Structures are given as C-alpha cells and as structure tokens.
Amino acid sequence: MLEKVRARRLLYARLAVPLAFAILIGRLWYVQIVQGPQFQQQASQNHLRVDEIAAPRGIIYDRYDQQLVENAPTWAVSVVPSDLQRAGTEAVLTRLAAFTHSDLSQLELAVRTDRNNPELPLTLLRNVNRDVALTLMEQADALPGVHVDADAARRDVDAPVFAPVVGYMAPISQEQYDASQHTTQPYPLNAMVGQAGIEQHYENELRGVQGHVTEVVDARGRTLEDMGRQEPIAGDSVELTIDAGVQRAAYQALTKAIQRSGATVGAAVAIDPRDGAVVALVSYPSFDANAFATGISQAEWQRLNSDPAHPLIDHAIAAQYPPGAVLDPFIATAALQDGAAKSDTAYPCPSVLSEQGWNFFNTGATPAGPLTVAGALAHRCDTLFDALGGGAKLPGLNLAGLGQDRLLAWLRQLGFGEPTAIELPGEASGFLPDPAWKKQTQNADWSPVDTYLVASGAGPLAVTPLQVAVATAALANGGTVWQPQLLQRIIAPDGTVLRELQSKVRRKVAISAAAAGPVLAGMAEQARGMSGAVDPTAGVAIAGLAAPAAPTANGPGQPGLNAWWTGVAPVSDPQLVVTVLVVGGDDPEAAAPVAQAMFAASFQPGQGSTSRGG
Amino acid sequence: MVGRLRFWRYFDPILVTASVLLTAYGILMVYAALAAPGSTDAARAAATREAIYAGLGLLLLLVACAVDYRVYRGLFWPLLALNLGLLVAVLLIGRAIGGGQRWLNLGLLPFQPSELGKLLVILTLARVLADLDARITTLRGVLASLAIAAVPAALVYPQPDLGTALVYVAVWFGMVTAAGMRLRHLFLLLAAVGAATPLLLRYVRGYQLQRIAAFLDPQKDPTGAGYNIIQALIAIGNGGWMGRGWLQGTQSQLDFLRVQQSDFIFSVIAEQLGFIGCILLFFLFAVLLTRVLAAATVAEDLYGRLIAIGVMWMLLFQGFVNIGMNLQVMPVTGIPLPFISAGGSSLITCLLAVGIVQSVRMRQKRPQFSS
C-alpha cells in the first residue's frame, strides 16, 4: 500500500520537471519574443545618449559691421534626474553645490520641481567659469548624472543702448518648446531663444542647426564611445541698418536731455527717407539685456516690470503719445497740396482759436502780423494749422481749411493709426479717431471741435515716434510712406549674402515739391532759430520742428509736457530723418539737442552722407 | 578491487556530462556578466575562481561516487552536528557580504555554510525518513521529519537568507511526500501555517514586503526596489531569438543590470545568447533532473531514493525560483541558479550532490539474472 503511494509520488515528481519548464518557457517566450521589440527599444534608450551640440548663434552687426552682440564662451551644468536618483540625488547635489559654490537648496528645489521626463537633462547652472567646469569634469566619477557642456552666453556689447533693437535671449517657454516639437528643428528643453527685438524676430535665421553626438553610456552615465556625430551649422549673421554711432549718440543725448528736463521717458528714431532703413532706434529708460541671458533674478524682473517708466517697453514703437504741434508740418503740407492754403499768401496768426467753448493756443509766443505757411512753421503759429486742419473760417481771413474728411484722410495716408510693420514685436498702432469710433464709444456725433482736437494733436489721437519719423520721411521724399526696416543683410556663415534690404513702399502719397518745399523751408528756419540746433562744423542744413504736446488737451506750457522734435537733413538732399520725444519734462525744447547730436554723429567727417546707405 | 570496480558498470555518464556542461556554461556566463568594455580583469578573475571551484567540485563528485552513500546513513549525528554547528557559527562570527551575514572565512576561501547545509539537510532528512519508514503516515512522524529541516531554516533565516530557508522547506516537502506522507497531514500543516500567518508577518522584514510590492508592480519604484526587475526584463527582451552575442549585451556589459553574475545571471544569458541559449540551458537542466530521478527510481533502498529525490527538489526549486524571479514570475529572493551563478559554495555543493546521486545510481538494485 505504502509502496504504491511512493511509486505514485515519484511519478508526480517526474511530472513536476516538465511542468516547471513549461511555465518558464512560456513566460520566456512572452518576454523575449512577444515583448522583445519593446524591450530592445528600452535597452537602446538605456545605453545610447544623444547629446545636443548647440550651434553658434549668428552675430548681429550694425550697418558698418560693428558687432552689437557676441557669444561669450561659458559652461552650463545640467543633470539627468533619473540618473541622479539612481546614484542618490542628495549626495550628488551636495557635492555639486560644493564644487560650484552654489546654494544646495536651490539646486534641490530645481530638481524637485522639474516636471519633465526625468530622462531629459535639466539645466541647473549657466555661466559656469572654466575652472569650475574643469573641476566638475575631473570629478565626473563622483558626480553621476551631472553633465558639463560648453555653452555660449549672449552678451550685448552695449546693452542698454541697443536693447530695444537687439532684444534679449531668455530660456525657452513651455509653449515655445511644445510648439517646436512638431517642427523639423525642435528645441532642446534647456534652449535659450530670442524673446524680444531682433533676437526674437530673426530667431530662425540666427539659431543655426543644432548638431548632435550619439554616445554609448554605462549605468553610471559615463561616456564609453562616440557612435556618430553631426556637427552643428552656425546661425546666419544679421546686419542691421542701425548706425551704432548714431544710436550711441542718441542714447547719450537722450539720457542727458531727460535727466536735465526732469522727464522720465524718451525715445529717438532716425530713418533714411530714401529707403526707410532705420538708422537709430532708442528708448529710455532701457535695461541690461545681459541680465536675461545670465539668468535674471526674480527681484530684478519685478523691478523691471513695476517701474512706472516701463524699461522693457520700447517707447519708440510700442508706446503712443499725443503728437501736439509736431503734426503742424503734415497739416501744412496737406493744405498746400490740396489748395486749402497758398504758399505765397500771408495769414493772420490769432493768439487763441475758439471752437465750441474749446480754446486752442500757440505753443510759442504769438508772432505779430500775418505769416505765410512757412513763416507760421518757423514762428510756431500753431493756431493757423489748427484752423487749416479744422476747416475754420478765421475772422478776417477767408480760409476753408481741410476739414474733417480731408484731414483724417491725409493723416491716415501718412501712416498714422496703423502699425508701420517694422520687424520688431510689440509695435503699437497709434490711434486716429474718426466719426465711427466716436459713435461707437461715446454714442455721439463727430463735431467740428473733434476735428480741431485732431488738428491740434491732442485728445484721443496718439502716435508713436516711429510713425512721426515715417511721415516726416514721406514729407521729405516726395510722398513715399516706407515700411521701416532694420535688416540690411542676412549673411550665411560662409559669407554668402542670403537676403538684402529691399525697401518696401507702403503707400505713395501725392506730395509735390511746391507743397513740401515751403514746409521744409519753414522747418529749416525754425531749426536755425533754435539755440544750438545747428552744428556749424557739420555744415549740414537741418529742417526741423520742436513742438511741445500736452499730455492732455487742457493747454500748453505746464510741467509734464511732451517735447517732440522731428526733422530732416540735409534740406536740399534729405538723407536722414530724426524724430525725438521726451516725455513728462518741463522743457519744451528738450528734444532738439538730441536730434542735433544724432545728426552730428551721422554726418561727422569720415562717416559722411556719401558712405551712408551702403 | 574487482568488487569495488563492479559498481562503475552502473555509472551514469549522462548525469555527469550534463553537470559538467552546466558548470562550463556557468563559467562562460560569469565571465560574460562581468566583462566591461575595455576592462576584462574582473571578469577573468571571477571566471578563474569559478574554474578552480569547478575543479574542486568535480574532484569531490568523483570521491562521492566512490564512497558508498550508505556511509552517510551511519553518520547522522555528525552530519547534523556539522550542519547546525556551522550555521550557528555563521550567526556568531560570520562575515557580512552584501548585506547578509552568510559567510565563514576558511583561509583563502569565503565559505557559505547554508549552501552545504542544503545537502546536509537532504542527507539527515533521508536518514530520519528512512528510519521512520511507514511511520511517516503518522502526524508524529511528519513533525519529527519537519524538525530536521525547520531548525536549520530557522538558523538561516536571520542571516538574513529567506531564500535558503525556503529551499530547506521545499526539499523537506519534496522528500516527505515521496516518503508517503498522508495528504491530510499536509493540509493540516498548511492550515496551521495559514492560521499563524498574522504572527509570521510580524517577523517578515520590511525589505521583504518591499520586494513583494516591487514584484507585483516594479514601475511603482522604478529606481529603487523595482529597478533590477525592470532591468532584467529589458535585458531578457533585448536578447530576442538569437541574443546580442556573447559579451555583447548592453544591459549586462554596461552595468544597467545589477548582481548580474549571481542572482540575475539568467538575464545575462537571455540577453547575450537569446531564446536559443535559454532553451539550451533548460535542456541541460531537464536532462540532469531526469537522470537524478532515474537514480531515485532504481535506488536500492528508500534512503538512496530519498537522497536523489531531495537533490532533485533542491535543484528544481532553486532553478525555478531563480529563473522565475528573472522573468518576474517569482518575487526576488536571494537564491542562486545551480551550477551557473557565481559562487563557490553553491557550485561545489551542487557537484557534490550530483556525486552522491551518482553513488546511489551506481549501487542500484542488482539485475535479477546475475549469477
């Protein structure tokens, strides 16, 4: 009986062998054959690391090949969080903090709050110097999961001067990163991209094509061999139409003018009336663009954003102000062109113009006796232009004026109320009121006084300094309204010119020499009368107009006014238009010296008008 | 002299050949597991060490063939004393390696008594069961036999070495059922264990619960307890049909897999030699186990048969659990793959066990027709 049981049990033991192996073979087949391809992919992800090699970013030059930015060699330290975790995050970060003299809690916070795939590198430190980088490389065995890569920090050569044009580089945003993943050239997670100005607008040209190297790594993250390497392609360089000399002169003079007049904000623009090239574009206060590239502190970012003068806003293009009397030359030109006024007729200059209970004054002392249109510009008889624009019948003068329709049409033609389409982000369109707008917002009909308010450059009318410069250029070049451009050339790393400035005409306005001539003459005369407005050494005749504009329509002459200046030189052969605005000071003439400094820098011997525009 | 040589007629060459091939396979794979790109020093040292153990083990195998296995029956008390003495010594003066205090330092060779203990449990248990004979059908008999395995298991467990303790229990179970234990006694014992589970759980260590959690869902802690389970599956899957080639496994060569020369050596085989290589390994094991069972079948007495049955269960249980944990069929326990995993104590014990089984085989029942 027992023997039978034992024989049966021996048989069971025999059956256990095939049963055990059947289970193992079944499972092995499933893991190795059915799931094999998936695990093979994971195995290669395990041991193959693709390291990006950043492409040298294109350089930004001025029109005379002066470098406005440079790529300074630095080092960046990144970690692969999953590798860190395998080796003990805290221990590795403690050593890293000691080697780099950085704050351990900051490093830990950065790793802990990283919400990306832990297999992807996370940049912890930028702008690490060479000595520290070399130490880290030597200590690679003690720092598993830590990578030190050559990096280039973007440095603006003269940061606050060029910041409004050049813009700045900052870490890529999550949205930008996500969007780029569907393109042929996705950004890495730790990319620095142009976030303002030319750096942003020409990002695709400047960035180049990233290279990469495929490496075999072991479990400790050590590189064992290179499997393949694709060299990066350097970005294209961008040559701007900016003249660094004029830009610097403008920034310095503007800074001085603002500080002297107690103003807070200002802007200066210079464009070439022959092709719309932007020669200078300055905004005050500016900012240190390098702070963004090196990792701006929270405090600095808060300060920049809460400063009432808005340093991050380019006041030359992105802020809009009432133009005040700087509108006079355009009204004068329109009136002469349309025959609403005659150049050889003298008109009386009232000290005050009343319309529906509103009073319009002259910004200067009211001159005695009748004046031609040119004379009125020279002697600042603003009421004449309020009348010409508003369409009034002045007492003792049979003058129809332009009136509502023609005035608004002219201003629209000259480019007010719409963006100039310059290649900088964040441009303001300005504002040109019209009857439809008034009906919609105030449920009231357009009245004659509204036309007068526009003609006086007050009220809801708002313009950007760049718009005034473009309109001034149209006045000087016989009616061409340019799309202002900053790009002179795009140059490939091998020197090939990929793109060259092609002037873009937005609109042709009929302005005859008979209409523009007297206006420029009047402006030239005012510029001559201005203290220090003409640099005798330059020998260049300047036509220009200093014009204060009250922030509100209540009346001129009070502190906190906006001082405008717009003009052109040389008068006989216009090559440079300059528009300057000083906001909130107490000196109506504050803008003129800035313009003068810019002309002087542009026409100085050796960098004369003939070499310009090349 | 002639009388002695007569036994060699029944020498089973297949049993020994399968053991030798498995041992050679193991040496090759220990080398492959430790060879890193550009540095094979560690691999060569380990493989050389394994080869020396193998030589020693084969020598012991031949000696064991020559020795009549019935000698051990008379050595019950010395063998029991040796087993318990060594295990107590480990607990008191053992060397700690890799988190477990399992080794005794015998001159040049660190020696792991719990490995030899597996064989000593088989020999002592076989004697007790053979003496009990029909009384194994009584509960008293069952409990007496259980003590022979349970006391060493209780000594091994705190090292800590749950795996080896489980091997003792598995061997006891295999032998006691073969001896004819009643099934109702088995169920009674299982019920007792079930009732004692809440009490036993208090003695389960934290890392053991962690291992079970990692076994059920390794992705919950992919860089901690679940790490090696995941890496092992990646290594096995990476092998495919034909494998990446000897020394060409990225998971093992680049150290993504841990303890790849011991507990996880099966993953190295699977990655480098593929499905084919694994089937070859299974085939060698199956042949070996079949020949051990053949020895059990032809054994002259119950004692010899129980020794062979015990060795069979020792090898099968260890092989299944070890390969099973590589394949995530079993939770991770520190059980080596017999003949293959690096480690002299395990290899020598296995070869010695085969030698004793061979001794049983050679002294089988005389053919009836002999004059």
Side-chain angles (χ1 to χ4, degrees):
Chain A
M1 177 63 199
L2 187 60
E3 277 312 309
K4 261 189 180 168
V5 170
R6 284 176 177 162
R8 202 165 59 235
R9 298 274 166 85
L10 193 61
L11 186 67
Y12 293 160
R14 279 183 195 286
L15 291 176
V17 176
L19 180 67
F21 284 109
I23 292 171
L24 293 180
I25 289 172
R27 174 69 180 166
L28 180 69
W29 182 80
Y30 181 71
V31 171
Q32 204 162 27
I33 307 304
V34 176
Q35 293 187 312
Q38 174 197 331
F39 284 127
Q40 279 151 32
Q41 199 184 344
Q42 282 189 42
S44 33
Q45 277 170 7
N46 253 355
H47 76 276
L48 292 181
R49 168 143 40 231
V50 178
D51 270 357
E52 313 294 353
I53 310 172
R57 194 174 172 87
I59 299 296
I60 301 173
Y61 297 97
D62 90 332
R63 64 166 61 203
Y64 299 119
D65 286 340
Q66 261 198 53
Q67 221 171 313
L68 304 184
V69 297
E70 60 186 21
N71 296 327
T74 63
W75 303 86
V77 177
S78 58
V79 296
V80 176
S82 62
D83 292 347
L84 273 192
Q85 213 172 0
R86 252 169 246 162
T89 304
E90 203 191 327
V92 176
L93 287 184
T94 306
R95 287 196 284 273
L96 179 63
F99 287 133
T100 57
H101 313 291
S102 47
D103 186 357
L104 175 62
S105 60
Q106 288 288 326
L107 299 182
E108 284 178 332
L109 184 71
V111 172
R112 204 167 48 240
T113 54
D114 177 36
R115 286 284 164 267
N116 293 303
N117 181 349
E119 304 289 340
L120 294 178
L122 165 72
T123 304
L124 283 186
L125 301 162
R126 287 187 187 279
N127 283 326
V128 172
N129 70 38
R130 192 169 160 276
D131 289 345
V132 171
L134 286 176
T135 309
L136 294 180
M137 289 180 207
E138 279 165 16
Q139 301 290 335
D141 276 357
L143 298 166
V146 175
H147 301 267
V148 183
D149 298 299
D151 193 17
R154 196 68 154 177
R155 295 245 169 83
D156 283 22
V157 174
D158 209 345
V161 175
F162 296 100
V165 176
V166 168
Y168 55 82
M169 308 274 297
I172 192 167
S173 72
Q174 189 67 48
E175 293 75 32
Q176 290 167 328
Y177 173 78
D178 292 343
S180 85
Q181 298 310 303
H182 310 295
T183 64
T184 51
Q185 272 204 73
Y187 282 102
L189 206 53
N190 56 1
M192 298 287 281
V193 298
Q195 299 285 33
I198 289 296
E199 296 271 30
Q200 179 182 358
H201 189 83
Y202 291 108
E203 169 68 23
N204 287 336
E205 287 80 4
L206 289 165
R207 62 182 285 205
V209 180
Q210 180 173 263
H212 50 80
V213 54
T214 308
E215 296 164 326
V216 176
V217 296
D218 68 8
R220 296 173 69 190
R222 289 178 305 194
T223 302
L224 300 177
E225 59 173 313
D226 278 10
M227 294 285 283
R229 199 178 171 83
Q230 181 158 8
E231 293 300 334
I233 303 170
D236 301 329
S237 286
V238 168
E239 191 179 289
L240 299 180
T241 54
I242 294 288
D243 179 335
V246 177
Q247 178 91 3
R248 281 203 186 88
Y251 186 79
Q252 282 157 14
L254 185 63
T255 306
K256 215 159 89 186
I258 286 170
Q259 285 165 357
R260 202 177 44 213
S261 68
T264 52
V265 167
V269 180
I271 67 175
D272 189 327
R274 295 167 298 181
D275 55 13
V278 178
V279 176
L281 191 78
V282 168
S283 176
Y284 183 97
S286 189
F287 58 93
D288 180 5
N290 293 326
F292 288 89
T294 57
I296 192 165
S297 71
Q298 193 64 27
E300 177 66 5
W301 176 245
Q302 298 249 306
R303 193 193 65 73
L304 284 173
N305 275 296
S306 60
D307 186 333
H310 301 297
L312 293 178
I313 288 179
D314 182 351
H315 294 92
I317 62 161
Q320 47 195 36
Y321 306 90
V326 85
L327 225 48
D328 290 355
F330 309 115
I331 295 171
T333 308
L336 290 172
Q337 182 71 28
D338 279 10
K342 288 192 166 40
S343 59
D344 52 359
T345 307
Y347 302 97
C349 181
S351 59
V352 60
L353 199 65
S354 296
E355 179 71 27
Q356 292 179 308
W358 290 77
N359 293 324
F360 300 94
F361 300 92
N362 288 315
T363 54
T366 304
L371 293 165
T372 61
V373 169
L377 283 168
H379 295 98
R380 301 187 181 176
C381 176
D382 302 315
T383 49
L384 176 63
F385 300 104
D386 298 340
L388 280 173
K393 290 185 173 54
L394 285 180
L397 138 87
N398 197 13
L399 185 65
L402 291 166
Q404 167 197 329
D405 292 343
R406 282 196 288 173
L407 175 66
L408 295 183
W410 264 97
L411 292 179
R412 201 170 293 119
Q413 289 277 298
L414 287 169
F416 294 108
E418 64 178 20
T420 67
I422 190 174
E423 346 48 327
L424 291 178
E427 190 188 5
S429 60
F431 184 69
L432 187 58
D434 61 19
W437 166 81
K438 185 160 186 196
K439 188 85 196 162
Q440 200 187 345
T441 57
Q442 295 169 26
N443 195 25
D445 288 330
W446 187 268
S447 74
V449 76
D450 290 317
T451 311
Y452 277 90
L453 283 168
V454 170
S456 72
L461 175 64
V463 300
T464 69
L466 182 61
Q467 284 174 333
V468 173
V470 168
T472 307
L475 202 132
N477 65 20
T480 303
V481 178
W482 297 111
Q483 174 181 333
Q485 292 186 94
L486 282 160
L487 181 76
Q488 177 107 322
R489 295 194 290 182
I490 291 180
I491 305 160
D494 63 5
T496 324
V497 175
L498 300 174
R499 226 158 100 191
E500 231 166 337
L501 173 69
Q502 302 248 312
S503 48
K504 289 183 189 155
V505 179
R506 269 160 72 213
R507 205 174 286 120
K508 284 273 190 191
V509 185
I511 297 177
S512 65
V519 173
L520 289 175
M523 289 165 76
E525 200 181 329
Q526 201 208 91
R528 264 198 298 282
M530 225 161 52
S531 59
V534 178
D535 185 344
T537 59
V540 177
I542 298 171
L545 182 89
T552 64
N554 291 339
Q558 61 194 39
L561 52 76
N562 298 342
W564 284 94
W565 195 96
T566 193
V568 64
V571 179
S572 54
D573 171 26
Q575 291 173 13
L576 192 70
V577 164
V578 167
T579 301
V580 179
L581 169 64
V582 175
V583 179
D586 57 8
D587 178 8
E589 310 288 336
V594 181
Q596 187 216 344
M598 291 166 74
F599 283 121
S602 178
F603 295 109
Q604 68 182 277
Q607 203 151 303
S609 56
T610 46
S611 70
R612 281 200 48 252
Chain B
M1 215 44 213
V2 171
R4 281 196 164 256
L5 283 174
R6 192 179 70 222
F7 300 115
W8 294 95
R9 270 173 54 204
Y10 298 105
F11 181 84
D12 182 356
I14 297 177
L15 178 65
V16 174
T17 307
S19 308
V20 170
L21 287 177
L22 281 169
T23 305
Y25 203 152
I27 295 171
L28 279 177
M29 294 323 293
V30 167
Y31 181 86
L34 292 174
S39 123
T40 53
D41 293 354
R44 189 170 304 145
T48 307
R49 216 159 39 231
E50 286 302 303
I52 292 170
Y53 293 140
L56 199 60
L58 285 170
L59 199 66
L60 287 173
L61 186 153
L62 291 176
V63 171
C65 292
V67 175
D68 189 332
Y69 68 94
R70 282 162 292 209
V71 168
Y72 310 121
R73 189 168 181 168
L75 293 174
F76 173 76
W77 290 109
L79 289 177
L80 188 65
L82 178 67
N83 193 10
L84 300 181
L86 283 172
L87 293 177
V88 170
V90 168
L91 274 186
L92 297 180
I93 58 166
R95 281 177 60 199
I97 299 179
Q101 185 173 323
R102 300 180 191 170
W103 279 265
L104 277 183
N105 200 351
L106 299 182
L108 289 173
L109 302 177
F111 170 66
Q112 204 175 341
S114 58
E115 289 297 329
L116 181 63
K118 292 167 185 168
L119 190 55
L120 293 175
V121 166
I122 290 170
L123 292 177
T124 48
L125 191 56
R127 150 84 191 251
V128 169
L129 290 173
D131 286 359
L132 285 170
D133 198 5
R135 277 175 291 159
I136 192 62
T137 54
T138 67
L139 188 58
R140 267 184 74 146
V142 169
L143 292 176
S145 72
L146 181 59
I148 298 297
V151 172
L155 288 172
V156 162
Y157 179 73
Q159 285 182 4
D161 192 351
L162 174 64
T164 303
L166 288 176
V167 175
Y168 294 169
V169 173
V171 162
W172 170 80
F173 172 78
M175 289 173 73
V176 89
T177 46
M181 173 177 70
R182 282 172 191 268
L183 287 180
R184 71 171 116 106
H185 290 148
L186 176 64
F187 293 134
L188 194 67
L189 279 176
L190 286 177
V193 169
T197 301
L199 194 73
L200 290 174
L201 275 180
R202 294 172 59 186
Y203 293 94
V204 171
R205 286 155 207 271
Y207 82 93
Q208 283 158 351
L209 291 178
Q210 215 178 19
R211 280 180 171 182
I212 296 202
F215 161 67
L216 295 174
D217 185 6
Q219 294 297 347
K220 225 173 213 160
D221 188 7
T223 58
Y227 175 82
N228 224 31
I229 298 173
I230 295 169
Q231 297 303 329
L233 286 180
I234 293 174
I236 294 165
N238 194 30
W241 282 108
M242 303 302 295
R244 299 272 123 191
W246 194 58
L247 302 184
Q248 302 300 314
T250 56
Q251 286 291 103
S252 42
Q253 245 77 81
L254 301 177
D255 280 342
F256 288 99
L257 195 62
R258 290 182 195 150
V259 288
Q260 69 266 43
Q261 79 282 18
S262 55
D263 289 1
F264 281 86
I265 198 161
F266 177 77
S267 298
V268 176
I269 295 173
E271 186 185 28
Q272 301 192 7
L273 304 180
F275 192 74
I276 302 297
C278 294
I279 294 298
L280 174 65
L281 179 77
F282 292 168
F283 174 74
L284 290 175
F285 265 117
V287 167
L288 177 72
L289 294 173
T290 309
R291 300 314 290 190
V292 171
L293 278 170
T297 312
V298 300
E300 195 190 46
D301 54 10
L302 181 60
Y303 178 67
R305 172 194 284 193
L306 288 174
I307 289 176
I309 289 283
V311 170
M312 197 287 287
W313 279 108
M314 174 183 96
L315 297 177
L316 180 62
F317 181 78
Q318 293 196 84
F320 183 80
V321 172
N322 178 279
I323 294 171
M325 80 192 187
N326 277 264
L327 285 167
Q328 210 200 337
V329 174
M330 286 279 168
V332 174
T333 43
I335 291 181
L337 185 56
F339 299 101
I340 307 290
S341 288
S345 307
S346 168
L347 180 57
I348 289 172
T349 302
C350 289
L351 288 169
L352 183 57
V354 169
I356 293 173
V357 170
Q358 186 68 266
S359 171
V360 172
R361 168 87 197 215
M362 282 157 63
R363 287 159 187 85
Q364 63 180 252
K365 283 172 261 188
R366 230 36 54 73
Q368 297 306 311
F369 54 81
S370 70
S371 50

